[in-house]
Amino acid sequence: MLKFILKRLGSSILVLFGASILLFFLTVHSGDPLEDLRESQSNNRENLIATRTAFMNLDQPWYVRYWDWLKGVGGCVTGSCDLGTNRSGQPVGELLSLAAASTLRLVVLATVLAIIIGVAVGIITAIRQYSGLDYAVTFLIFLFFSLPVFWAAVILKEYLGIRFNDWIADPTLSWPALLLAALIAGLMLQAVMAGDAKRRLFTFATTAAFVVLVGWLLFAMDFWRNPRMGPIVQLLIGLAVAVGATIVVAGLRNRSVLKAALVTVALGMVGYYATYGLLMTNPSGLLLAGLGVLTILVAIVVGRLLGGFSKGSAVAVSIVTALLMGVAIVAEHLMNYWPTLLRMKPRPISVIGSGTPNMEGHFWVLFLDRGAQLVLPTILLTIISVATYSRYTRSSMLEVSRQDYIRTARAKGLGERQVILKHAFRNSLIPITTIMAFDFAGLIGGAVITEQVFGWKGMGELFATGLREVDPMPVMAFFLVTGTAAVLMNLVADVLYAVLDPRIRV
C-alpha cells in the first residue's frame, strides 16, 4: 500500500509540474500587464512602469520568471516559502493565507453539509425507487444541478438576504406563509415515512399541526429577536437524537446501544452545566476545538464500555449524540448574544463581503457575524453539490442492492436495517468516495463565481484579480492550493478504498 501511495504521489507531482508550466505560460501571454500605465496621462508614468516592471520581473523571459517562482515554492519544504509579489509589490504569501482561510471556511462547511444531505437523500430515494418521493426528489435535484450559479446567488441575496433583513427588524406572523410551510413539511414527511393511506394521512396531519403550533409559539415568545433554549430543551434535543440515531443504526431492541446513547445524553447535560460559565466568560476557537475533541473521546469510551456485542454501532450512535448535543450547546450561547448582534448590526445577513469591517465585540457576537456572512454562499454551494452526491449515492445503492450477497443477506433473515447500512451502504460508498475527494478541490475552484457575486475576499477573488491584471503570481498561488488539494484528496480516496474494501489492500 505504501509503495502504491508513493507511486501515485510521484505521478501527481509530475502532473502538477506540467500543469504549472502551462498555466504560467498562458497567464503571462494573456495580455499586457502594463496596458493601464501605457494609457495613463500621469507625469510619473515612466516611474510607475519601471516600478511595476521591477515588481513583476517583466524584463526577464517567462521561463526565468517561472523558475524563480518554482524556487520560491521549493523553499516551502524547508519552511521558507516565497510566492513572489503581485504587481503592487504586496507579498502573495500573505494574500494567499488570508484568502485561503476565508475560502476554506466556506468550502469545508458546504462540503460537509452537501455530503450529509446528499448521501441521506440518495439512500432514501434508492430505498423508495420509482415512488412519488423518488420522482419529486429527482426533479428537484436536476433543477438544483442546472441552476446558473450567478442567477441562484441573486435570488438568495434578494429573498434570504435583503427581505429577511427587512423582516427581522419587525417580525410579523404571516399565516399564509406558515400554513404553506406546514403543508410542505407534511407532504415531505408523509412521503418519506410511506405506508398505507391512513398512515400517510395521519403523518401529514400530525406534522402540519406540529409546524403550525411551533411556528405560532415562536412568534408568541418573540423568538426571532430574543431566542432562548435552556436545559430542558437541551435535554429534549439530546434524547431525540439518542433515540433517533439508535433507531436508524441498531434499532430500539438493541438495549446496549440505547443505553450508551442515553448515558451520553446524561454526560452531555453534565458538560452543559460544567462548561456554561467557561463558555460565557472566556470562550475562544481553541477552547471550542478542544471541547469538541474531548466530546468525541468521551463518546468513544462510552460506546466501547456499554456497547456489548455492538460496540461499533454504540460508538457511532454515541458520537452522533455527543456532537449534536455539543452543537446545541454552542447554539444556545449564540442565541444569548443574538439580540446584541441585532443592536450592533440591525441587518444581520450580509449579502456582500466575507466580514463586517471594523466589527468589534464579544467572541460570540463576532462568531454570529461571521456565521451570518457564511449563510448565503454556503447554501448556494451546498444545493449545487447535493445534486451530485444524491445521484451517485442512489445509483450506487441500486447497483449494490441487486448483488447476490444482498439477496443472501435477506435470505438469511437479516433485518432490512442491517442489510442497508452494513452491507449495501458500505459497499456503495466506494464510488462515492471518489466524488467526495475531488468535490472538495472542485469547490475551491468552483467558488470563484460564488465569491465574485457575494464579494467574498477569498481564493476566487485572488484568482480573478490575477487574471484580470495579467499577474501570474496570484494565479499560481491559487493553482498551488487547488492542485495540492486535488492531489491530497486523491490520496485520501485511495486510502479510503482500502478501508472500505479490504480486497484492495491485496
Side-chain angles (χ1 to χ4, degrees):
M1 188 67 181
L2 179 60
K3 181 179 179 181
F4 172 74
I5 292 177
L6 293 177
K7 184 178 179 181
R8 291 295 300 272
L9 182 60
S11 62
S12 298
I13 291 175
L14 291 178
V15 171
L16 285 176
F17 176 69
S20 65
I21 295 176
L22 179 61
L23 182 61
F24 194 95
F25 177 83
L26 293 176
T27 304
V28 167
H29 292 86
S30 63
D32 182 9
L34 299 176
E35 182 178 3
D36 59 322
L37 295 181
R38 297 186 199 280
E39 299 174 354
S40 174
Q41 302 298 322
S42 176
N43 294 329
N44 62 339
R45 185 184 67 172
E46 297 301 325
N47 290 334
L48 295 176
I49 291 177
T51 301
R52 185 176 297 178
T53 300
F55 282 145
M56 300 180 65
N57 293 325
L58 297 178
D59 55 341
Q60 300 290 335
W62 72 269
Y63 49 85
V64 175
R65 297 167 63 190
Y66 172 79
W67 177 248
D68 291 338
W69 175 81
L70 191 63
K71 288 192 298 183
V73 173
C76 295
V77 178
T78 60
S80 58
C81 286
D82 182 11
L83 302 182
T85 59
N86 64 2
R87 72 177 194 172
S88 300
Q90 296 174 291
V92 174
E94 296 180 4
L95 298 176
L96 178 63
S97 62
L98 296 175
S102 180
T103 296
L104 291 177
R105 183 159 51 102
L106 169 63
V107 171
V108 169
L109 180 59
T111 303
V112 171
L113 291 176
I115 291 174
I116 295 174
I117 298 173
V119 171
V121 170
I123 294 174
I124 293 173
T125 52
I127 297 173
R128 304 287 309 287
Q129 185 184 17
Y130 301 138
S131 64
L133 174 67
D134 187 23
Y135 288 126
V137 170
T138 299
F139 169 76
L140 291 176
I141 289 302
F142 280 111
L143 176 64
F144 292 153
F145 189 74
S146 60
L147 283 177
V149 175
F150 58 89
W151 180 83
V154 172
I155 296 298
L156 288 176
K157 289 171 71 173
E158 173 65 23
Y159 289 97
L160 294 184
I162 297 173
R163 297 199 181 187
F164 175 82
N165 287 331
D166 294 338
W167 176 82
I168 197 65
D170 184 21
T172 56
L173 176 60
S174 173
W175 282 103
L178 181 58
L179 293 175
L180 179 61
L183 177 64
I184 295 174
L187 290 174
M188 292 178 60
L189 191 60
Q190 65 85 23
V192 173
M193 300 299 293
D196 54 24
K198 184 177 180 180
R199 179 180 176 181
R200 285 175 177 269
L201 181 61
F202 176 77
T203 302
F204 169 79
T206 304
T207 304
F210 178 78
V211 171
V212 171
L213 177 61
V214 171
W216 178 80
L217 285 175
L218 292 180
F219 276 98
M221 297 168 54
D222 191 26
F223 181 83
W224 304 108
R225 291 191 63 86
N226 295 283
R228 46 198 176 275
M229 292 175 65
I232 296 178
V233 176
Q234 293 286 349
L235 179 61
L236 292 176
I237 291 175
L239 292 175
V241 172
V243 174
T246 303
I247 292 174
V248 172
V249 175
L252 288 178
R253 294 182 179 179
N254 194 323
R255 301 302 181 187
S256 298
V257 175
L258 181 59
K259 180 195 289 187
L262 294 178
V263 170
T264 303
V265 173
L267 293 177
M269 293 305 299
V270 173
Y272 168 78
Y273 285 105
T275 62
Y276 197 89
L278 180 63
L279 291 177
M280 286 290 290
T281 58
N282 192 28
S284 66
L286 185 61
L287 175 62
L288 291 180
L291 290 176
V293 173
L294 180 62
T295 298
I296 295 175
L297 293 177
V298 171
I300 293 174
V301 171
V302 171
R304 297 290 297 177
L305 292 177
L306 303 178
F309 294 104
S310 303
K311 286 185 172 59
S313 299
V315 168
V317 171
S318 297
I319 290 177
V320 170
T321 303
L323 286 179
L324 291 182
M325 287 194 70
V327 170
I329 292 172
V330 171
E332 178 170 341
H333 287 280
L334 292 174
M335 288 179 182
N336 293 335
Y337 282 89
W338 176 250
T340 305
L341 177 67
L342 291 180
R343 288 193 296 270
M344 298 176 62
K345 187 180 177 184
R347 302 181 68 83
I349 304 298
S350 301
V351 296
I352 293 294
S354 57
T356 303
N358 303 320
M359 184 74 169
E360 295 181 359
H362 194 272
F363 172 83
W364 293 116
V365 175
L366 298 179
F367 195 110
L368 277 170
D369 177 62
R370 293 175 182 174
Q373 306 281 356
L374 282 171
V375 170
L376 299 183
T378 298
I379 291 176
L380 179 61
L381 292 177
T382 300
I383 62 176
I384 293 174
S385 296
V386 160
T388 303
Y389 287 116
S390 63
R391 289 297 88 188
Y392 271 95
T393 302
R394 179 182 182 275
S395 61
S396 184
M397 284 286 292
L398 291 176
E399 181 181 356
V400 169
S401 64
R402 299 187 183 99
Q403 301 298 318
D404 291 339
Y405 64 86
I406 297 296
R407 286 193 290 269
T408 302
R410 287 195 173 100
K412 288 167 59 179
L414 290 179
E416 193 65 18
R417 181 187 300 102
Q418 290 179 300
V419 172
I420 293 173
L421 294 180
K422 293 188 177 180
H423 292 74
F425 178 57
R426 175 165 179 167
N427 288 286
S428 67
L429 276 178
I430 295 177
I432 300 172
T433 302
T434 305
I435 307 301
M436 293 180 181
F438 284 102
D439 188 61
F440 179 77
L443 272 180
I444 296 178
V448 173
I449 299 177
T450 304
E451 292 180 1
Q452 287 291 303
V453 175
F454 288 103
W456 195 271
K457 301 297 183 181
M459 297 292 296
E461 193 268 345
L462 184 70
F463 176 76
T465 301
L467 285 182
R468 185 172 57 252
E469 297 178 349
V470 198
D471 190 352
M473 294 307 172
V475 175
M476 298 307 294
F478 174 86
F479 168 80
L480 187 64
V481 173
T482 55
T484 303
V487 170
L488 292 178
M489 297 310 292
N490 192 20
L491 289 176
V492 170
D494 291 335
V495 174
L496 289 178
Y497 288 156
V499 174
L500 295 171
D501 190 349
R503 294 173 298 178
I504 297 177
R505 304 172 192 173
V506 182

